[in-house]
Amino acid sequence: MINTMIRRFIAGAVAGFALLASLSILTITNASGAYADSTVDGQITQSEVIARAWDWVNRRPYIKYDSSGRTSYPDVAGKQYRPDCSGAVSMAWHVGTSYNTSTLPSAPKVRLIAADPSSSTDLRTGDLLNVSNGPNGEHHAVLFDQWEADHVHFSVFSFGGGSDGSTPPQHETGRTFSGSVGGHPGSIYSAYRYDNVLPDTLVSDSEQLQFADMNNDRVADLISMRANGDVVAYWNVGGIFNGSNKLVAGGFKEPARTRFADMNNDGVADLISMRANGDVVVYWNVGGVFNGSNKLVASGFTDSVGTKFADMNNDGVADLISMRANGDVVVYWNVGGVFNGTNKLVAGGFKEPAATRFADMNNDRLPDLISIRANGDVVVYWNVGGVFSGNKLVASGFTDPARTKFADMNNDGVADLISVRGNGDVVVYWNVGGVFNGTNKLVATGFII
């Protein structure tokens, strides 16, 4: 849930655009720093979605409702969108097309999460509530903002609706599914999720700390990606991080687009950079540092959250694992250090890439699929012959996927669970017979994400 003070700051910042917009459409040329990071049809943070929605609310009455398609209004960067309910959602999501209420539910990377949402539905900031041809011919789309404290009432962004269908852009609070939402009964909406909308912590924080073997001693080292672009390795010494560290790279300011895995079977992790244009570039680990030597190994992978790396066939090199919006898990094989398109479907039904990991849980030298569920359960799906079948509950109580990592911390061939706590403590829960039974150890402090 986005901090209220940040929301107020964003709302105040974009209000300045409203004054300029009343003078001339041409003055709306630059996005504020709060929401200038996404590209059209690309990944976008929840805070940027909400900032974009507030922008149109704060430009009333300049933006007037018109669903005819004859008029359009710009976002903060000047891209034009149709000024109606579904056009406003399209604008907030920063997609390339002004969808309507009939086409929004089937737009790329949009999926149904609840046909009849209620207070128990896992609605998240940036989700869509949509009705097309409702019981009385209703057509409307609203953007879900957040739950209120009771998890019954909630807030949304709405444009249009009501008795005359032309209500200006507004932020509604205190809504319920038993009451009115966007001028229509809350009970007639279905809920959808645009998979390009990412929680802010997943983009800005969770990958600041990663774990991989940097020096071929078969235990995971702690890799800290700092705000200035420095990459610092803290060495695993006897199962703990005692402060010994080394600067191993500089200039990598996007932790969410950076991973570490052995790409060439030399026993040490290489740095993998997933660029915004979809290119995947490997920077080779040379003597424990990344000296700039690199290679383009794949292209077309723009979804950094849904792109993972692990050795799926025990040939000593990491393969590329793509988690698609429809839930399919597809492996692209590492062939001579590059991904040449050869691939295999290895699982289906996994639609939460941010809560999915791949690590060897049973010492068969193959990564298993680990699902961190919303209720805190950690469930392993076994890698059987290169596909995932059968599962086991191995832990519970881990409700924050962004703070839950997996790596072999003690060279016993199985992945341990690493919990990065809010106070900066790093605690390892040991893998004992394939489960995490609570046995744990504090291995580092001061790493706040």
Side-chain angles (χ1 to χ4, degrees):
M1 192 174 293
I2 300 172
N3 184 279
T4 301
M5 292 182 66
I6 295 176
R7 290 171 179 271
R8 289 176 178 172
F9 172 79
I10 292 171
V14 297
F17 285 107
L19 296 175
L20 296 173
S22 66
L23 298 176
S24 170
I25 188 173
L26 296 178
T27 60
I28 310 299
T29 56
N30 294 304
S32 77
Y35 48 96
D37 293 333
S38 70
T39 57
V40 174
D41 287 327
Q43 294 176 336
I44 183 170
T45 63
Q46 290 174 324
S47 59
E48 184 178 350
V49 169
I50 295 306
R52 291 172 66 87
W54 270 116
D55 176 52
W56 271 23
V57 170
N58 287 323
R59 283 200 267 165
R60 296 180 303 179
Y62 166 68
I63 297 179
K64 300 182 184 300
Y65 185 91
D66 181 6
S67 62
S68 69
R70 292 189 294 269
T71 62
S72 62
Y73 288 86
D75 67 3
V76 292
K79 179 171 174 55
Q80 301 289 318
Y81 290 91
R82 190 180 60 252
D84 62 7
C85 61
S86 48
V89 173
S90 301
M91 181 279 300
W93 283 351
H94 204 183
V95 296
T97 301
S98 290
Y99 293 101
N100 58 44
T101 55
S102 296
T103 57
L104 262 176
S106 59
K109 296 195 174 183
V110 176
R111 56 185 171 91
L112 178 71
I113 57 174
D116 299 295
S118 67
S119 59
S120 62
T121 301
D122 179 28
L123 282 169
R124 305 174 188 175
T125 298
D127 284 345
L128 164 70
L129 297 177
N130 189 83
V131 58
S132 179
N133 196 23
N136 296 304
E138 298 95 341
H139 292 266
H140 199 44
V142 300
L143 185 74
F144 184 83
D145 181 10
Q146 63 179 349
W147 290 106
E148 296 179 10
D150 60 5
H151 214 278
V152 173
H153 296 82
F154 54 87
S155 55
V156 299
F157 291 89
S158 179
F159 189 1
S163 59
D164 63 358
S166 61
T167 303
Q170 61 185 358
H171 183 247
E172 301 180 1
T173 60
R175 305 295 94 182
T176 67
F177 286 111
S178 61
S180 175
V181 178
H184 297 293
S187 59
I188 68 175
Y189 290 94
S190 294
Y192 300 85
R193 179 159 298 148
Y194 179 40
D195 283 325
N196 267 352
V197 177
L198 305 178
D200 296 278
T201 55
L202 296 177
V203 173
S204 61
D205 296 333
S206 68
E207 302 302 341
Q208 287 179 358
L209 287 188
Q210 300 188 43
F211 296 84
D213 183 1
M214 285 288 296
N215 56 357
N216 197 19
D217 62 359
R218 299 186 180 181
V219 292
D221 304 298
L222 185 155
I223 305 168
S224 174
M225 300 196 65
R226 298 181 176 173
N228 67 351
D230 285 350
V231 180
V232 178
Y234 289 79
W235 307 113
N236 183 327
V237 180
I240 61 173
F241 304 105
N242 63 6
S244 300
N245 66 79
K246 183 177 183 179
L247 176 66
V248 296
F252 294 92
K253 294 184 177 181
E254 294 188 271
R257 295 187 178 277
T258 309
R259 301 290 184 272
F260 297 86
D262 185 358
M263 284 289 294
N264 58 354
N265 195 19
D266 62 357
V268 292
D270 303 298
L271 186 154
I272 306 169
S273 175
M274 293 173 283
R275 298 181 176 171
N277 67 353
D279 285 350
V280 179
V281 178
V282 172
Y283 291 79
W284 305 110
N285 183 327
V286 181
V289 298
F290 306 105
N291 64 5
S293 302
N294 65 79
K295 183 178 182 179
L296 175 67
V297 296
S299 58
F301 295 92
T302 57
D303 182 1
S304 61
V305 173
T307 305
K308 320 280 188 178
F309 298 87
D311 182 1
M312 282 290 295
N313 56 356
N314 191 23
D315 63 357
V317 292
D319 304 297
L320 186 154
I321 306 169
S322 174
M323 300 191 66
R324 298 180 177 174
N326 67 352
D328 285 350
V329 180
V330 178
V331 172
Y332 291 79
W333 304 111
N334 183 326
V335 181
V338 299
F339 305 104
N340 64 5
T342 307
N343 65 79
K344 182 179 180 180
L345 175 68
V346 295
F350 294 93
K351 295 184 177 181
E352 298 286 346
T356 306
R357 306 286 186 269
F358 295 86
D360 185 0
M361 284 290 294
N362 56 357
N363 197 19
D364 62 358
R365 299 186 178 181
L366 295 172
D368 305 295
L369 186 154
I370 306 168
S371 174
I372 308 166
R373 298 183 176 172
N375 66 352
D377 285 350
V378 179
V379 177
V380 172
Y381 293 78
W382 305 110
N383 185 328
V384 180
V387 297
F388 299 105
S389 65
N391 63 78
K392 182 178 182 179
L393 176 67
V394 297
S396 58
F398 294 92
T399 56
D400 190 348
R403 296 183 180 277
T404 307
K405 322 278 187 175
F406 296 86
D408 185 359
M409 285 288 295
N410 57 355
N411 191 22
D412 62 358
V414 292
D416 304 297
L417 187 155
I418 306 167
S419 176
V420 184
R421 297 182 176 172
N423 66 352
D425 286 351
V426 180
V427 178
V428 171
Y429 291 79
W430 305 110
N431 183 328
V432 181
V435 299
F436 305 104
N437 63 6
T439 306
N440 64 79
K441 182 178 183 179
L442 176 67
V443 296
T445 59
F447 292 93
I448 296 176
I449 62 173

